[in-house]
Amino acid sequence: MQLFLDTASVNEIRTMWEVGILDGVTTNPTLVAKEGRKFEEVLREVCALGVPSVSAEVVATDTEGMLREGRHLREIHPAIYVKVPMTAPGLKATKILAKEGTRVNMTLVFSANQALLAAKVGAAYVSPFIGRLDDQGELGMDLIRDIVQIYRNYSFATKVLVASVRHPVHVLEAAKIGADIVTMPYSVMEKLVQHPLTDIGLARFLKDWEKVPKG
Ligand code: G3P
């Protein structure tokens, strides 16, 4: 399973890229706005690190606008995936962009039927938002289970990118189900690395090492 960071912070991306556990990055307009920096500048810096998959979202809501923005974004760097919302104009734009060879990440997906449509129009990734479903009392992970099963049934090439992740249990459950990718905030990726027993164990080993005769 691939691990992505859901952030537009170049510092966060650089840190995890250097640790060596990062497979890609997803951004959205909210995350970009938080950084207070020019979008394309951020995208160029992230791509220059060597991150192989960087999702950048269109903000147009009509097909023509999505096509214009998507074609522009894909020219920035070969690592760019164009993020398009799950709407009728978005499906239309995705079909055209996919035929042109652009890899599309269909976002704001909240049902298995929407995911089926994303696969049918040739999206490279589908992004179901599980945390936002959990927030309103639905089980987001059930959606991942359904999408993985449907894609297997029909051998769709579209990858399931689990988004709107809130905590490490989401990552664990997604891995057990067999999702292709999980994108998560920096704070969640940090928690994947850490365990209190690792820290306690290391401190004990170092303390005991002091008792070993040296020289
Ligand atoms: O990038 C899309 C998604 O991961 C957003 O997550 O936390 O705003 O629901 P969240």
Side-chain angles (χ1 to χ4, degrees):
M1 186 174 70
Q2 293 192 306
L3 302 178
F4 285 16
L5 268 183
D6 197 25
T7 183
S9 159
V10 179
N11 281 341
E12 290 181 353
I13 295 163
R14 186 181 294 109
T15 302
M16 286 305 176
W17 182 247
E18 286 173 359
V19 173
I21 57 174
L22 189 64
D23 298 302
V25 168
T26 50
T27 64
N28 64 37
T30 307
L31 294 169
V32 174
K34 250 192 348 201
E35 295 305 308
R37 296 189 54 198
K38 285 189 181 152
F39 186 31
E40 286 192 30
E41 202 177 273
V42 170
L43 289 178
R44 285 180 206 283
E45 279 179 36
V46 175
C47 292
L49 292 174
V51 179
S53 172
V54 180
S55 287
E57 191 157 342
V58 300
V59 288
T61 53
D62 62 304
T63 302
E64 274 316 307
M66 289 173 181
L67 289 174
R68 197 171 47 250
E69 289 178 25
R71 287 170 182 147
H72 175 73
L73 287 169
R74 77 176 176 210
E75 292 308 319
I76 292 175
H77 194 277
I80 298 281
Y81 282 64
V82 176
K83 235 171 147 182
V84 173
M86 170 52 70
T87 57
L91 285 164
K92 196 171 163 188
T94 298
K95 190 161 190 169
I96 296 167
L97 287 169
K99 276 210 176 113
E100 292 173 358
T102 301
R103 291 160 308 178
V104 176
N105 175 352
M106 282 218 90
T107 188
L108 289 166
V109 167
F110 292 94
S111 79
N113 283 335
Q114 287 181 322
L116 175 63
L117 301 182
K120 284 181 69 71
V121 295
Y125 297 157
V126 67
S127 289
F129 279 28
I130 59 165
R132 292 191 195 181
L133 285 172
D134 289 355
D135 289 346
Q136 60 150 36
E138 290 181 55
L139 287 174
M141 210 46 80
D142 284 351
L143 174 59
I144 303 304
R145 217 168 272 115
D146 286 348
I147 298 172
V148 167
Q149 184 189 328
I150 291 165
Y151 283 10
R152 279 195 192 134
N153 287 349
Y154 298 100
S155 304
F156 283 124
T158 306
K159 290 189 170 168
V160 181
L161 191 164
V162 180
S164 184
V165 160
R166 302 271 190 263
H167 48 70
V169 178
H170 276 152
V171 182
L172 176 66
E173 290 296 319
K176 281 158 72 178
I177 292 167
D180 301 287
I181 307 162
V182 175
T183 191
M184 67 200 86
Y186 183 84
S187 58
V188 174
M189 196 173 275
E190 260 190 323
K191 286 179 191 151
L192 300 187
V193 178
Q194 295 158 354
H195 196 288
L197 289 178
T198 304
D199 299 338
I200 292 166
L202 181 60
R204 191 181 299 161
F205 283 156
L206 293 179
K207 202 164 181 321
D208 289 343
W209 188 248
E210 285 169 16
K211 299 173 203 154
V212 176
K214 314 280 180 335

